[in-house]
Amino acid sequence: MKISQFSGLLRQARHNVEMTFVVILSVIVAATWALSELVDEVVEGATSDIDRDILLMLRSTDDLSDPIGPWWLEEMGRDFTALGGVAALTLMTLVVSVFFLLLRRWTTTIYILVSVGGGILISSFAKEFFDRSRPDLVPHGSLVHSASFPSGHSMMAAVAYLTMGVLIARVQPRFHLKVYVMSVAVLLTVLVGVSRVYLGVHWPTDVAAGWLAGGAWAMVCLIFARNLSDGGHSTRHPVGGAPASTDARLDMSPDE
């Protein structure tokens, strides 16, 4: 299939509410199923060998306290991991929320706060529930204080960056711009997760669970946002990306 044909199918799906809903729902089901399988394997201890092998593969054989690669790569790992930290994500969420508040897009602001806030609650509950110990094979390259499963940095990066990516992508007029924005969102999410394993503060399965849970939660929030903005049956655009003529209807213009 040519790229132009694929782009045409995606544009058609975007304007077909039912098809879009089915695609998003399928992603949620697939991610939830994969997450449940992963949780089952982790609880049974079936992933311990692969977790250990991957973690040790990223360390120097002569010194387990030294991640592979030059010194600047380790420093970059700390920079990448900070992108999924509480300070960075909180600041970004507040900045974007205030931006939409100034535009009087109330539902978009609520969508952002519920998505990120809900993700934090789910991540915290899951950590307390599973109470998995942090990796003890190698020294940690970053300070940690909570349980290991799932990776909170990975999950919140997925929730925040995918949510922001969707909001930004929807207002882009060209398909390649949408692809670029979503690619950046996915790349940031991946970099945060990989950096957690590279620094030795998470098992690889912690990160995989964080990605799956964060992606699934972001998609669940998107479905609810579509239903709220569309009244459950119309073809209006979901939060964040409608033309000016529909933004007023979407964001409850009587509140302006």
Side-chain angles (χ1 to χ4, degrees):
M1 180 182 293
K2 296 181 179 180
I3 296 179
S4 58
Q5 293 175 324
F6 180 68
S7 301
L9 288 175
L10 288 180
R11 282 193 293 269
Q12 182 179 0
R14 183 184 63 187
H15 295 294
N16 189 317
V17 175
E18 292 76 13
M19 183 184 297
T20 304
F21 180 85
V22 169
V23 170
I24 296 175
L25 187 60
S26 298
V27 172
I28 294 173
V29 172
T32 303
W33 175 81
L35 179 61
S36 64
E37 291 292 325
L38 179 60
V39 168
D40 186 56
E41 294 294 317
V42 169
V43 171
E44 292 179 356
T47 64
S48 58
D49 288 340
I50 190 171
D51 274 335
R52 182 179 183 276
D53 292 343
I54 294 177
L55 206 60
L56 292 178
M57 183 178 66
L58 297 176
R59 294 283 161 155
S60 171
T61 55
D62 299 327
D63 183 6
L64 293 182
S65 66
D66 182 27
I68 59 173
W71 65 267
W72 51 263
L73 185 60
E74 184 176 355
E75 189 65 23
M76 286 177 62
R78 295 191 182 93
D79 292 338
F80 289 144
T81 209
L83 295 175
V86 174
L89 293 181
T90 299
L91 179 61
M92 182 185 68
T93 300
L94 289 176
V95 169
V96 175
S97 297
V98 171
F99 172 77
F100 282 110
L101 278 177
L102 293 175
L103 292 178
R104 301 188 178 220
R105 297 187 179 180
W106 317 116
T107 54
T108 303
T109 304
I110 294 173
Y111 169 60
I112 295 171
L113 295 177
V114 169
S115 297
V116 177
I120 293 175
L121 292 177
I122 294 173
S123 175
S124 300
F125 174 79
K127 283 179 176 290
E128 292 293 330
F129 181 81
F130 292 105
D131 196 26
R132 189 186 194 186
S133 300
R134 294 277 180 168
D136 55 3
L137 292 176
V138 298
H140 296 163
S142 179
L143 295 177
V144 291
H145 58 83
S146 60
S148 190
F149 187 91
S151 167
H153 278 66
S154 302
M155 178 174 176
M156 292 313 304
V159 171
Y161 290 125
L162 293 180
T163 297
M164 304 303 170
V166 167
L167 291 175
I168 297 173
R170 291 205 48 93
V171 299
Q172 303 308 312
R174 299 183 181 277
F175 175 76
H176 68 275
L177 293 177
K178 297 176 185 293
V179 172
Y180 172 75
V181 169
M182 292 308 302
S183 297
V184 171
V186 172
L187 176 61
L188 290 175
T189 301
V190 170
L191 288 175
V192 170
V194 171
S195 70
R196 301 304 282 171
V197 180
Y198 180 72
L199 294 175
V201 295
H202 273 296
W203 302 104
T205 47
D206 297 337
V207 171
W211 283 338
L212 290 170
W217 175 247
M219 293 298 101
V220 167
C221 291
L222 179 58
I223 282 185
F224 275 103
R226 289 185 68 96
N227 288 336
L228 287 175
S229 62
D230 296 345
H233 53 73
S234 74
T235 58
R236 298 173 195 166
H237 293 275
V239 290
S245 59
T246 60
D247 269 347
R249 293 179 295 174
L250 168 64
D251 293 318
M252 302 178 187
S253 56
D255 293 337
E256 296 186 7

